Amino acid sequence: MQSIIFDYAVFLLLIGLSFAVLIYSKISGPKEQTKADYVFASKGSVSMGAMLLSIARGFLGVKVFLGYPSEFYYRGSGMWETLYGMSLAFPLVLYFFLPVYFNLGITSVYQYLDMRFKSRLVRRLASGTYFIRSILNLGVTVFTPCVALKTVMGLPYWFSIILITSIAIVFTVLGGLRSAILADAVQSLVMIGCSIVIIIHGFFIAKGPLNVFEVTKERDRLDFFNFNMDPTLRVSTVSATLGQLFMSLSMFGCQQNFVQRYFSMDSQKQVEKALWLTIPLMIFLFSLSWIVGMVIFTVYADCDPRALGYISEIDEIIPFYIEDRFYFLPGFMGLVLASLFNSGLSILVSNLNSISTVAWEDFVSQIPIFKGATEKNQLWCIKSISVITGFIVMGVAFIVAQSSGVIDASQLMTSATSGPLLGVFVLAMFFPSTNWKGAAAGMISSHLMTLFIVLGSLSIAKEPNYLPVSTEGCTNTTFSPHIEPIFDIQYNQYKMSFLNKTHDEISSVLSTPEVESSSTDDILTMLYSITYMYYSLLGTFVTVFVGVIVSYMTAIRTGDDIQYHPLGYEPIQ
């Protein structure tokens, strides 16, 4: 009972500290907030370290602490190899995307498309794509800490979702990008500290890192360099590298919330330095979460809590482990829960800022009644859009609650929307003969194709493909005294003997029977079965291919000539 009180006290204290960071940012920042102060962090007002952590957090999100350990535990190490594609993306962003943007003096990165194609339609299609993708991913971000709050505190999903989004809306209205960056940095440090504590303590329980490695390897959790070219395989080395490369290029090179951070730095040289330093930071943060997963799997290798019914969702394994193994450390669970809560909060705040800025610049400001608005009124309009967007994200979070895991939900949403956005920027920068008609046709075709595949994939009955788990070592003393037994001894022994079967029998117990697939000759079924890791690659290819063809066909009819322009290419008037 005393431990629970400590946990709640720490949880409330850290949430209070988040408000303190907001207040500090307001006091130490400019006396009167301008639109530029809200949209960007003032030059030199944020340290390089804070900016690095914010960029890393903006990409990895809350799933780095909760989702990836559970991914390793139940599905293995395959998704770790997305690091290859992620690392390859940074140099490409540095040398191809960044030089185009940095000196344009724009508020929305999608203004570049307007300058390049002389088309509001193309700009709005790109902005709309970013808007939809951000809202979908923010739904995952909001839902992720709700899993832990439900597992430990028993808070229903609806209550946690409403609480997080409501506080985020308040933060967004009162703060700006600088506040969000500082909050990102603080939460990153806290979460790194929690992960290190879990790993060190887990090594002690699991009898050292060598044993952790051996157990995870023996139980088929370490499956690297899988070059299976089957496009229907959920994740392999090939799909992880190619898929994440295109997703990362789209996010770091074409996404407003990251470009806003670049524009908040003092110079292009500083941005280049920051992005190079982000690569090892990403590898460190990413790998840390997988080591947490290795440790937890080793501890529960012979007695899986999900198989026994202690948890129902795979993403609940982290909060359950902390509740089970850290009962001796009062307040630690509260610290973890508050970190998850505040991390989801800070990521939501910074993204609401970016989304509302894009919505204002590319849509709302073009409405006649808003043209000519003063800077002060523009700022209030942007904040009002943030409030509306916050409520939309709340609705998406309720939908995400029905998914099969935060990693699947996040990767699917990111990959499905990355292709059209990256494709149109590739057209703008690398295909001088393309025009606005081709760019618009390419984006629309790509969206329609991706939507067709996603909806089709939902029509195919697919069960989560989890790796086998064991209950052979379960006893009434397996878990700590703070975990209430859910079986009596007799029933528990029966349960263990029932589950202690071959891999195929265990799979049939833990999942519903698979539905027979259609004939392999069925092209549509094969198309629907393609892993979501390839959606970004396919979307980019379709955008570029259709864009080039349509541009060529329309140029022949209109007789347009093309010449070089500092911001891209434009027709000779």
Side-chain angles (χ1 to χ4, degrees), residues 459-477:
S459 67
I460 300 177
K462 291 183 288 188
E463 289 297 325
N465 185 24
Y466 299 136
L467 294 175
V469 294
S470 173
T471 57
E472 292 179 0
C474 292
T475 68
N476 284 341
T477 58

Side-chain angles (χ1 to χ4, degrees), residues 466-510:
Y466 299 136
L467 294 175
V469 294
S470 173
T471 57
E472 292 179 0
C474 292
T475 68
N476 284 341
T477 58
T478 297
F479 304 110
S480 72
H482 288 70
I483 302 297
E484 185 179 346
I486 56 176
F487 306 113
D488 58 33
I489 295 177
Q490 220 173 9
Y491 181 75
N492 200 19
Q493 289 175 342
Y494 167 76
K495 176 87 172 182
M496 287 188 289
S497 65
F498 180 65
L499 289 176
N500 186 20
K501 298 176 182 293
T502 65
H503 167 37
D504 292 337
E505 290 172 311
I506 289 176
S507 297
S508 66
V509 170
L510 296 181

Side-chain angles (χ1 to χ4, degrees), residues 307-322:
L308 293 179
Y310 280 101
I311 59 175
S312 57
E313 304 293 337
I314 64 172
D315 294 318
E316 296 175 2
I317 190 66
I318 286 281
F320 177 83
Y321 176 82
I322 295 172

Side-chain angles (χ1 to χ4, degrees), residues 325-353:
R325 297 292 171 168
F326 284 88
Y327 64 90
F328 67 91
L329 194 59
F332 186 71
M333 174 58 79
L335 178 66
V336 170
L337 292 179
S339 297
L340 287 169
F341 185 94
N342 285 335
S343 294
L345 190 63
S346 62
I347 293 171
L348 179 55
V349 169
S350 63
N351 279 272
L352 285 179
N353 179 297

